[in-house]
Amino acid sequence: MSSLVDRLWYGGGRPLRWLMPLSWLYQAVAEARRRKAWAERHQSLPVPVVVVGNITAGGTGKSPLTARLVAAMVAAGWRPVILSRGYRGRSREYPLRVTGDSDPALAGDEPVMLAQATGVPVVVDPKRSRAAAHALSQSLGDVLICDDGLQHYALPRDIELAVFDASRGLGNGALIPVGPLREPVSRLTGVDFVLVNGADGDRDGRLAAFAGIEHPGLFAMGLRATTLVHLRTGRRAPLSELRGRPVHALAGIGNPRRFFDMLRSLGAELRATAFPDHHRFSQADLASRAGEWLVMTAKDAVKCRGFAPDNAWYLAVEAEVPDAFLDAFLAQLDASARQFNDARHMRTDHG
């Protein structure tokens, strides 16, 4: 997201308030689509569906949270499948099975990154309900988790999570295009958990309120850098290698400033270049000065590996969430599964 949009949406006031009629139109269209999708849905799916998303435009940390939830589900004995729309992917056929070796130009950068990070099946389709049907028909898993699908109402869901960036919050509180909101704040009353990336919670990671929002499932979340990975060889290096090192940092993500601040906190002498979210990198974009390391995000690295220079690395990060949140999430997932099993037994008994 450009610095101009940052100022217009996340600065003081509403400088675009003259576009308020478009915000009202945006809200009316979004609400009509939601009602239409809910009316056309016939029944829930036979496995639990988890949706991770946000109500603000721009990056909030959804994909790292998705990866963390996948790891927690796997550890608890679940077999999760990730569903994604594959934004900016150009595949001619859907549904598309994605692996860590898939071409991000076809599958989209985030699905390939998640496939590499998690090792679980990933299915891409602009129609997420079709991706879900494919995953179920192929018996790929027993729980579906949708990365960035809060507004995709055609897909049934059992657990919804909304993610915010603590430093940005709700911005100026207005709907697109006047502000960053995709949906009104009242939408949060229908979600199960609200995670705030970069917030400080109490001992259990809980938050009493955030930006005036109170929610029983409000928790703090953070992103932690874990290691540096060489793009061409996969070699790992400790984060201490960044201390005092000249670094040209590249980021084509929703909130590049968060990535740059993380590198500075690790001691890098930074020269930063921000690109639009989901930018299609070229070799010319990866220029650096003598003695510099080129450091990017994992999401950008999947698009650059084929032509990366020898000094190119990516910074691997993990979402840190409270144990109390994971316990509550897994308990709700188990409860959803029991409901499906009870309903299945009832159908069998009356068959």
Side-chain angles (χ1 to χ4, degrees):
M1 186 176 296
S2 69
S3 58
L4 174 61
V5 173
D6 274 352
R7 291 195 299 271
L8 294 175
W9 285 356
Y10 295 99
R14 296 179 178 179
L16 296 178
R17 57 185 174 274
W18 56 278
L19 293 175
M20 192 62 75
L22 291 179
S23 286
W24 298 333
L25 178 61
Y26 179 91
Q27 182 176 358
V29 171
E31 179 64 17
R33 289 181 58 204
R34 183 185 69 82
R35 290 180 177 177
K36 181 175 184 292
W38 280 95
E40 291 178 349
R41 273 177 27 188
H42 300 296
Q43 59 184 9
S44 62
L45 297 177
V47 299
V49 179
V50 179
V51 171
V52 180
N54 56 11
I55 65 167
T56 57
T60 57
K62 296 183 300 295
S63 293
L65 177 60
T66 298
R68 181 66 186 91
L69 292 175
V70 166
M73 288 188 283
V74 169
W78 291 90
R79 295 186 299 118
V81 181
I82 297 174
L83 308 182
S84 174
R85 65 170 172 164
Y87 180 69
R88 296 198 70 178
R90 297 178 177 176
S91 177
R92 294 183 179 181
E93 295 183 0
Y94 293 105
L96 178 68
R97 287 284 302 276
V98 178
T99 70
D101 296 324
S102 295
D103 183 354
L106 298 178
D109 46 22
E110 288 171 345
V112 176
M113 177 190 69
L114 285 168
Q116 291 180 354
T118 66
V120 305
V122 178
V123 182
V124 160
D125 197 314
K127 296 182 178 180
R128 291 181 179 87
S129 54
R130 189 168 58 189
H134 174 80
L136 295 174
S137 69
Q138 300 299 310
S139 300
L140 297 183
D142 54 14
V143 58
L144 307 178
I145 180 165
C146 190
D147 179 43
D148 192 17
L150 205 59
Q151 288 78 36
H152 192 86
Y153 289 106
L155 180 71
R157 69 278 312 272
D158 302 281
I159 302 176
E160 290 185 323
L161 303 94
V163 190
F164 286 91
D165 183 278
S167 63
R168 287 177 159 183
L170 301 176
N172 61 19
L175 289 166
I176 293 172
V178 179
L181 296 186
R182 297 174 173 179
E183 296 183 280
V185 177
S186 58
R187 172 68 172 87
L188 296 177
T189 61
V191 307
D192 300 280
F193 300 98
V194 179
L195 283 297
V196 185
N197 184 8
D200 293 323
D202 64 14
R203 186 178 61 181
D204 293 326
R206 293 182 178 273
L207 296 170
F210 164 70
I213 299 168
E214 295 182 1
H215 191 283
L218 189 61
F219 288 91
M221 165 187 159
L223 294 180
R224 178 176 64 90
T226 58
T227 189
L228 288 159
V229 183
H230 193 265
L231 260 69
R232 297 184 64 173
T233 67
R235 181 171 68 87
R236 294 177 178 265
L239 299 177
S240 59
E241 290 285 342
L242 291 172
R243 196 171 302 124
R245 183 180 296 277
V247 167
H248 183 199
L250 307 178
I253 58 177
N255 186 1
R257 184 170 56 187
R258 183 173 59 225
F259 175 66
F260 298 149
D261 288 345
M262 181 178 289
L263 287 173
R264 290 189 181 98
S265 72
L266 293 170
E269 296 180 1
L270 209 65
R271 182 168 66 92
T273 303
F275 293 89
D277 197 10
H278 301 283
H279 177 68
R280 295 188 183 277
F281 284 88
S282 67
Q283 195 165 11
D285 294 326
L286 307 188
S288 59
R289 297 170 183 169
E292 284 184 332
W293 271 15
L294 195 67
V295 180
M296 62 189 70
T297 70
K299 173 177 162 179
D300 295 326
V302 299
K303 295 175 287 190
C304 299
R305 187 168 286 109
F307 50 85
D310 286 335
N311 65 335
W313 301 76
Y314 75 82
L315 184 69
V317 301
E318 290 182 353
E320 290 188 319
V321 292
D323 289 341
F325 159 68
L326 288 179
D327 291 343
F329 169 77
L330 292 171
Q332 189 157 340
L333 187 61
D334 288 338
S336 296
R338 286 195 297 271
Q339 289 179 353
F340 288 122
N341 290 332
D342 291 344
R344 188 178 299 116
H345 290 321
M346 287 180 63
R347 289 194 298 269
T348 301
D349 293 341
H350 291 84

